[in-house]
Amino acid sequence: MRSVLAAISVTLLCPQVAAAADYRADLGPMPLDDETKAFIAGRGEATATVEGDRLTIEGSFRDLPSNATAAHIIMSPTIGVPGKKVLSLRLTGTVDGGVTGTYRLSKPQMQALKAGRLYVQIDSEKAPPGYSWGPKGTLWGWLLPDHERVAQGIPQQGHWFIPQLDIVSK
């Protein structure tokens, strides 16, 4: 009887476990050159959990050179390329603070998340306007599948940073 109950419990729980996926973004300054390094600085991190079509994001940032003004999820045409704002995150704090949000993703947004084409961007008061080669944001980071992390200076193994490799082409 116990083994039957255990089998039923596992069967009922497996769809919920399979539906959840975790993503992480390391937020850093970009672009950075001699002209902008005084205005674009700081660090942060964000995690995202997906349950069904619902995305929940929580993150923090620190050491901005000016007050944070806005935070967004941005959808890019491909990983590494600036994109367009699709969701606004709730912002708390000024030079140190947090971002949060829960959203129902559309099918294209969900596909973009799975393909590594969504990123978190935090803007600040002194961030210069957008460049032809990059976004306006003070901090930004791509939402990529969560993965084991290695110490600084040790090469990361595997293809975790290129999620397009995990998508089957049709």
Side-chain angles (χ1 to χ4, degrees):
M1 182 67 171
R2 285 185 185 171
S3 60
V4 171
L5 289 176
I8 291 171
S9 297
V10 168
T11 303
L12 293 174
L13 292 176
C14 283
Q16 293 173 345
V17 172
D22 294 319
Y23 296 83
R24 175 178 302 276
D26 290 316
L27 306 176
M30 189 70 185
L32 189 62
D33 58 22
D34 285 341
E35 180 184 348
T36 61
K37 67 183 175 184
F39 307 110
I40 299 178
R43 282 288 178 205
E45 50 280 320
T47 58
T49 303
V50 176
E51 293 187 38
D53 64 353
R54 188 170 295 285
L55 174 73
T56 301
I57 295 190
E58 294 182 9
S60 63
F61 60 90
R62 62 197 170 281
D63 303 326
L64 296 183
S66 62
N67 292 336
T69 57
H72 301 280
I73 300 295
I74 299 178
M75 187 161 53
S76 167
T78 189
I79 192 169
V81 174
K84 297 190 185 299
K85 297 173 187 175
V86 292
L87 301 168
S88 292
L89 295 168
R90 283 185 299 280
L91 180 65
T92 59
T94 55
V95 296
D96 299 315
V99 294
T100 58
T102 300
Y103 309 93
R104 181 159 275 128
L105 296 180
S106 67
K107 191 171 186 174
Q109 290 168 341
M110 182 64 78
Q111 290 170 339
L113 175 66
K114 290 178 181 179
R117 296 178 21 238
L118 293 184
Y119 63 93
V120 174
Q121 180 173 307
I122 299 173
D123 296 337
S124 69
E125 291 173 341
K126 294 185 180 178
Y131 297 94
S132 59
W133 46 271
K136 171 188 165 44
T138 298
L139 298 180
W140 57 307
W142 296 90
L143 286 166
L144 299 174
D146 199 9
H147 57 279
E148 181 181 346
R149 294 166 165 232
V150 297
Q152 185 173 349
I154 297 174
Q156 181 76 46
Q157 300 296 312
H159 67 273
W160 63 269
F161 62 97
I162 308 176
Q164 294 94 323
L165 295 178
D166 293 330
I167 296 178
V168 179
S169 303
K170 290 185 179 182

